[in-house]
């Protein structure tokens, strides 16, 4: 065992467990230390639970928004003009029990596959030892076990993948009953009657849309001009219109200062002095990296002003032999990126071929209804001159499959380089956009041209037909724009 590289991974979310699998495959001796269970927040509190809840919401919206047009009769054929008159309802306790069951099962499956790969899994809190790097380049990792004992491990390379937790405002302390973080909503037995969601980023928008679909009366408080300030502006506009049309109270340019619980109600005080009342408040105001009290700075690991670990494109921190991946680096808060960073760290540490992280090929999705999927360069990149690109946007209103399915909102947008026609980005706003973005993602990754995208067959009728049609339109546009 003399030449076997010892890897210790602190944090068992996608950044950590995916790295563990790669490192074990490459023949390293791997230990993963986690406080909560493998899968991390992604599986136990964030990604998996929210998307499971949204799966129920999606069925509700699809039915609610199209059953009349599609000619479906229900026993009590009252149109859902008002929430109270809805023809379908939800048992939130049952939904939440399913959510938690699936999350635990997923964590269990991950633990099984990681241990089957030969990885040692330790329950506890990991931190770097104070001794720094030993002469042989190794480092000590200390594990505080739940029973109070401390175990010392030695690693040739350490990966920090400790994730992040919900940010709390000093005057809006969650109580787990009425004032909630996104990790606490799954304990609710009954649907919040009037839910105020503070924060209109991806998490805020996803929960606001989901609870609206489940039957809550939702107010979305956004400190910015519009919802989803980080997303494609046309996509955000579509979503905001849909939200308002479905009866959501979307409050733009409204900064929440404090949240108070008064009996069974909550009051959200805004910066302009306005007070909004509801039965529950969900705080979605960002997250804080789990990087404190881990001996990081003492070991030479540089953190930025937000406490995130600085890494390069192969996941190296500023301390030799210490790598970092995932939300604790703040590079791109996605499970897929965390996993990629973790794998890259292990390829690098174990001397395998490494392709540095390329954020311009990351595909991401906002799981609202409609969904918003994005890949590559964005409208903002084009506007600020970072990328010279020609754009075509095709509303789904003209797509035959969308018409048949009663889909009115959404579009396909493609960006390509003028002259060469190489596809550099795209946005799909549609039901299941998360599935429709893949051909565009493939095109961006493989530097395909609009001609190549347009020449591949699509099924008739299909929503993806709009992607091919956008590529065909760009075939002409890119020449015109390339000449000018
Ligand atoms: C509501 C919500 C929904 C999301 N949905 C999606 C989605 O649909 N798709 C997507 O790609 N991304 C989604 N994300 C983002 C995604 O969850 C994160 O990007 C992902 O979890 C990051 O993975 P990670 O490995 O960095 O950290 P985590 O998943 O947070 O895992 C870190 C683990 O480390 C443990 N830990 C922390 N400190 C220590 C320590 N000192 N010692 C030992 N263990 C420690 C934690 O307990 C945790 O188990 C969502 C996020 C939120 C908030």
């Amino acid at each position: 065992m003399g030449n076997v590289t010892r890897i210790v991974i602190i944090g068992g979310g996608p950044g950590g467990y995916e790295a563990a699998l790669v490192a074990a495959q490459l023949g390293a001796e791997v230990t993963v230390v986690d406080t909560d269970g493998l899968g991390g927040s992604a599986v136990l509190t964030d990604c998996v639970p929210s998307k499971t809840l949204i799966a129920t919401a999606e069925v509700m919206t699809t039915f609610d928004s199209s059953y009349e047009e599609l000619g479906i009769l229900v026993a009590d054929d009252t149109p859902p003009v008002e929430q109270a008159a809805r023809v379908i309802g939800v048992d939130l306790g049952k939904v939440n029990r399913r959510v938690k069951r699936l999350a635990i099962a997923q964590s269990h499956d991950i633990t099984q596959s990681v241990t089957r790969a030969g990885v040692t899994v330790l329950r506890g809190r990991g931190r770097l030892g104070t001794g720094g790097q030993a002469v042989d380049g190794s480092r000590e990792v200390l594990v505080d076990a739940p029973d109070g004992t401390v175990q010392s491990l030695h690693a040739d390379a350490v990966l920090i993948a400790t994730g992040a937790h919900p940010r709390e405002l000093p005057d809006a302390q969650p109580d787990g009953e009425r004032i909630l973080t996104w990790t606490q909503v799954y304990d609710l037995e009954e649907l919040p009657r009037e839910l105020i969601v503070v924060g209109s980023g991806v998490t805020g928008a996803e929960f606001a849309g989901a609870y609206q679909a489940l039957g809550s009366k939702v107010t979305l408080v956004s400190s910015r001009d519009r919802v989803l300030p980080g997303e494609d502006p046309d996509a955000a506009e579509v979503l905001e219109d849909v939200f308002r049309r479905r009866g959501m109270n979307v409050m733009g340019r409204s900064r929440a200062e404090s949240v108070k619980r008064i009996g069974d109600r909550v009051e959200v005080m805004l910066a302009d002095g306005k007070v909004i009342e509801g039965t529950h408040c969900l705080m979605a105001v960002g997250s804080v990296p789990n990087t404190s009290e881990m001996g990081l700075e003492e070991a030479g690991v540089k953190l930025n002003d937000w406490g995130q670990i600085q890494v390069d494109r192969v996941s190296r921190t500023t301390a030799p032999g210490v790598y970092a991946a995932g939300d604790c680096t703040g590079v791109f808060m996605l499970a897929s990126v965390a996993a990629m960073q973790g794998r890259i760290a292990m390829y690098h540490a174990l001397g395998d071929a490494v392709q540095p992280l390329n954020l311009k090929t990351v595909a991401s999705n906002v799981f609202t209804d409609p969904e918003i999927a994005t890949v590559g360069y964005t409208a903002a990149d084009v506007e600020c001159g970072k990328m010279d690109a020609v754009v075509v946007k095709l509303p789904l209103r003209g797509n035959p499959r969308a018409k048949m399915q009663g889909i009115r909102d959404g579009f396909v947008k493609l960006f390509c380089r003028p002259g060469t026609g190489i596809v550099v980005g795209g946005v799909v706003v549609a039901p299941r956009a998360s599935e429709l973005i893949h051909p565009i993602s493939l095109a961006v990754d493989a530097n395909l041209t609009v001609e190549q995208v347009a020449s591949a067959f699509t099924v008739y009728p299909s929503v993806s037909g709009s992607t091919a049609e956008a590529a065909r339109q760009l075939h002409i546009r890119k020449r015109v724009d390339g000449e000018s």
Side-chain angles (χ1 to χ4, degrees):
M1 295 287 281
N3 289 329
V4 173
T5 308
R6 297 160 301 173
I7 302 279
V8 174
I9 298 171
I10 309 180
Y17 76 77
E18 289 284 351
L21 289 171
V22 162
Q25 223 172 35
L26 292 174
E29 182 188 298
V30 191
T31 306
V32 180
V33 184
D34 194 280
T35 43
D36 299 333
L38 291 196
S41 312
V43 169
L44 294 168
T45 56
D46 297 357
C47 208
V48 170
S50 66
K51 263 77 266 184
T52 311
L53 178 84
I54 286 167
T56 300
E58 193 182 310
V59 174
M60 305 275 287
T61 344
T62 309
F63 185 81
D64 256 357
S65 60
S66 57
Y67 82 100
E68 279 186 300
E69 183 183 338
L70 269 57
I72 295 167
L73 287 179
V74 286
D76 170 16
D77 195 19
T78 323
V81 180
E82 292 177 6
Q83 297 295 339
R86 295 176 95 216
V87 291
I88 47 174
V90 71
D91 175 347
L92 191 69
K94 192 169 173 185
V95 172
N96 281 342
R97 282 189 290 282
R98 174 171 184 264
V99 165
K100 290 197 244 183
R101 209 170 49 239
L102 281 182
I104 288 167
Q106 175 84 352
S107 171
H108 180 74
D109 288 353
I110 292 167
T111 309
Q112 272 201 327
S113 70
V114 166
T115 44
R116 217 181 293 128
V119 173
T120 305
V121 179
L122 293 181
R123 180 63 73 99
R125 195 175 179 284
R127 57 194 159 95
L128 294 180
T130 50
Q133 213 175 3
V135 277
D136 64 353
S138 69
R139 286 178 183 273
E140 187 185 28
V141 172
L142 297 170
V143 182
D144 301 305
D147 64 4
T149 57
V150 181
Q151 191 175 342
S152 164
L153 306 173
H154 291 273
D156 301 303
V158 180
L159 174 69
I160 314 287
T162 46
H165 61 274
R167 184 163 83 92
E168 293 175 8
L169 302 182
D171 292 325
Q173 287 301 306
D175 63 5
E177 288 178 2
R178 298 278 161 174
I179 305 172
L180 304 151
T181 68
W182 63 75
T183 66
Q184 296 170 329
V185 292
Y186 308 106
D187 290 329
L188 293 176
E189 277 295 316
E190 280 176 27
L191 191 68
R193 218 162 6 92
E194 301 154 21
L195 176 69
I196 303 165
V197 178
V198 176
S200 67
V202 175
T203 301
E206 286 187 352
F207 278 109
Y211 280 102
Q212 166 94 3
L214 296 175
S216 300
K217 188 166 169 27
V218 175
T219 299
L220 180 57
V221 179
S222 169
S223 61
R224 311 288 282 273
D225 287 352
R226 58 170 172 84
V227 300
L228 297 174
E231 297 294 318
D232 180 89
D234 293 334
E237 195 183 320
V238 169
L239 189 69
E240 196 166 319
D241 280 353
V242 170
F243 275 176
R244 286 186 203 276
R245 205 166 65 221
R246 291 186 186 147
M248 191 186 295
N249 176 18
V250 181
M251 302 183 70
R253 273 177 261 155
S254 303
R255 183 172 290 280
E257 295 259 285
S258 64
V259 183
K260 252 198 313 209
R261 176 171 175 174
I262 298 164
D264 281 349
R265 296 193 64 78
V266 292
E267 279 186 2
V268 177
M269 260 69 65
L270 303 183
D272 63 5
K274 240 187 249 155
V275 176
I276 319 162
E277 280 189 51
T279 58
H280 296 75
C281 177
L282 169 62
M283 300 299 295
V285 290
S287 54
V288 178
N290 298 325
T291 51
S292 59
E293 293 167 31
M294 290 187 61
L296 294 176
E297 283 173 299
E298 295 81 342
V301 176
K302 213 164 169 189
L303 307 181
N304 65 18
D305 292 347
W306 296 277
Q308 294 158 333
I309 300 172
Q310 278 187 24
V311 283
D312 63 12
R313 289 175 60 209
V314 290
S315 310
R316 277 180 300 195
T317 70
T318 47
V322 182
Y323 293 78
D327 283 8
C328 64
T329 68
V331 165
F332 202 142
M333 312 278 265
L334 285 179
S336 52
V337 175
M340 188 63 84
Q341 284 179 289
R343 289 185 209 110
I344 287 174
M346 294 301 105
Y347 292 135
H348 189 273
L350 297 166
D352 207 59
V354 194
Q355 267 205 336
L357 185 69
N358 178 7
L359 291 178
K360 274 302 150 208
T361 57
V362 175
S364 64
N365 191 60
V366 185
F367 289 83
T368 42
D369 181 81
E371 293 182 2
I372 299 172
T374 312
V375 66
Y377 284 92
T378 62
D381 294 329
V382 176
E383 205 165 289
C384 74
K386 195 166 153 193
M387 169 53 71
D388 186 16
V390 192
V391 57
V392 154
K393 182 179 121 186
L394 289 185
L396 288 189
R397 256 179 283 117
N399 178 290
R401 185 82 191 279
K403 284 185 211 163
M404 293 165 203
Q405 292 180 323
I407 297 166
R408 281 177 292 273
D409 304 293
F411 59 80
V412 172
K413 199 189 245 190
L414 271 190
F415 300 90
C416 80
R417 300 280 288 150
T420 63
I422 289 173
V423 179
V424 290
V427 182
V428 179
V429 180
R432 298 283 160 105
S434 48
E435 311 291 347
L436 298 168
I437 197 73
H438 190 238
I440 307 179
S441 179
L442 210 55
V444 170
D445 192 61
N447 290 322
L448 299 185
T449 63
V450 287
E451 288 76 18
Q452 286 170 309
V453 173
S455 72
F457 274 100
T458 55
V459 168
Y460 180 85
S462 67
V463 176
S464 51
S466 286
T467 304
E469 177 56 25
R472 272 191 290 278
Q473 293 197 11
L474 277 171
H475 169 66
I476 307 297
R477 281 284 317 276
K478 64 141 211 222
R479 277 189 294 170
V480 176
D481 284 52
E483 283 158 12
S484 62

